[in-house]
Amino acid sequence: MKKFEFKLQRLLEIRQKQEDNQKIELAKASGAYQLEANKKIKILDNIHELRQKIKDSKNMSLDTMRAYDILIQNSDTAINEVEREMEKKRLVMEEELKKYTELKQKRRAVEILKEKAIKEYNIKAQKEETNRLNEIGKNIYLEHNKE
């Protein structure tokens, strides 16, 4: 029997390549989202430090307190901007995840077809082997009974 050949192998390879490329795009989108999340964390840490300095300081001038207040207000504005950007990045990430999931399902569908084709091939090969062995056994039996 000839070697197993899956007629849709090229399609499977193309689907795998598409899935791999989409996985890269998903990772990029996820990285962009994480970068924004890290910015937010850093801003929040800075606000916490500023508030701690204000709390710990006993003899702080009014100008210094005003400066810290402005910094905190600017940080709050920056957080709002980062949160808006995070939402945009989250939506992009979700879209990339959706595309990746669809491509993964398409590739898996072709893989299932391949698995079925391999099973059918193995069953057919096993039947052919059984038939060959039966033919050999029959020929041996006939030769011994001639004598």
Side-chain angles (χ1 to χ4, degrees):
M1 183 167 200
K2 68 179 186 172
K3 183 180 169 189
F4 174 75
E5 184 179 318
F6 183 55
K7 293 178 182 178
L8 298 176
Q9 184 62 37
R10 183 69 184 130
L11 176 62
L12 181 59
E13 291 167 2
I14 290 169
R15 295 255 169 101
Q16 181 65 54
K17 185 69 173 167
Q18 289 173 333
E19 181 185 338
D20 292 344
N21 289 339
Q22 187 57 38
K23 192 184 295 184
I24 291 168
E25 293 303 313
L26 175 59
K28 287 178 184 177
S30 178
Y33 176 82
Q34 191 59 47
L35 185 66
E36 295 301 317
N38 289 343
K39 285 180 186 177
K40 180 180 176 183
I41 291 169
K42 187 169 182 154
I43 293 169
L44 289 171
D45 287 346
N46 288 341
I47 291 173
H48 179 70
E49 286 177 27
L50 287 173
R51 287 186 174 147
Q52 193 63 39
K53 284 181 183 179
I54 292 170
K55 184 179 175 183
D56 293 343
S57 179
K58 296 187 191 232
N59 297 331
M60 187 177 288
S61 72
L62 187 58
D63 289 337
T64 305
M65 288 185 81
R66 283 185 186 148
Y68 279 151
D69 186 49
I70 290 170
L71 281 173
I72 290 172
Q73 288 175 4
N74 289 343
S75 296
D76 288 339
T77 303
I79 285 176
N80 290 335
E81 289 176 19
V82 168
E83 285 177 343
R84 282 192 298 274
E85 195 61 30
M86 281 177 68
E87 182 61 20
K88 290 178 191 175
K89 303 285 184 186
R90 186 188 62 76
L91 293 174
V92 169
M93 186 174 64
E94 285 178 358
E95 186 61 33
E96 296 297 334
L97 178 60
K98 182 180 174 186
K99 289 177 189 177
Y100 172 71
T101 302
E102 289 172 5
L103 288 170
K104 188 174 183 176
Q105 288 172 343
K106 288 179 180 180
R107 179 200 43 86
R108 185 64 186 132
V110 177
E111 269 185 353
I112 289 170
L113 291 174
K114 183 177 182 178
E115 290 168 3
K116 287 180 181 179
I118 289 172
K119 283 181 184 177
E120 290 172 5
Y121 172 83
N122 287 338
I123 289 169
K124 187 176 178 182
Q126 193 174 23
K127 284 181 182 178
E128 284 185 14
E129 180 69 20
T130 301
N131 288 341
R132 268 189 273 139
L133 291 174
N134 286 343
E135 187 65 32
I136 291 171
K138 180 178 140 188
N139 288 340
I140 292 172
Y141 175 77
L142 291 175
E143 272 187 32
H144 286 303
N145 282 342
K146 273 187 181 179
E147 298 172 2

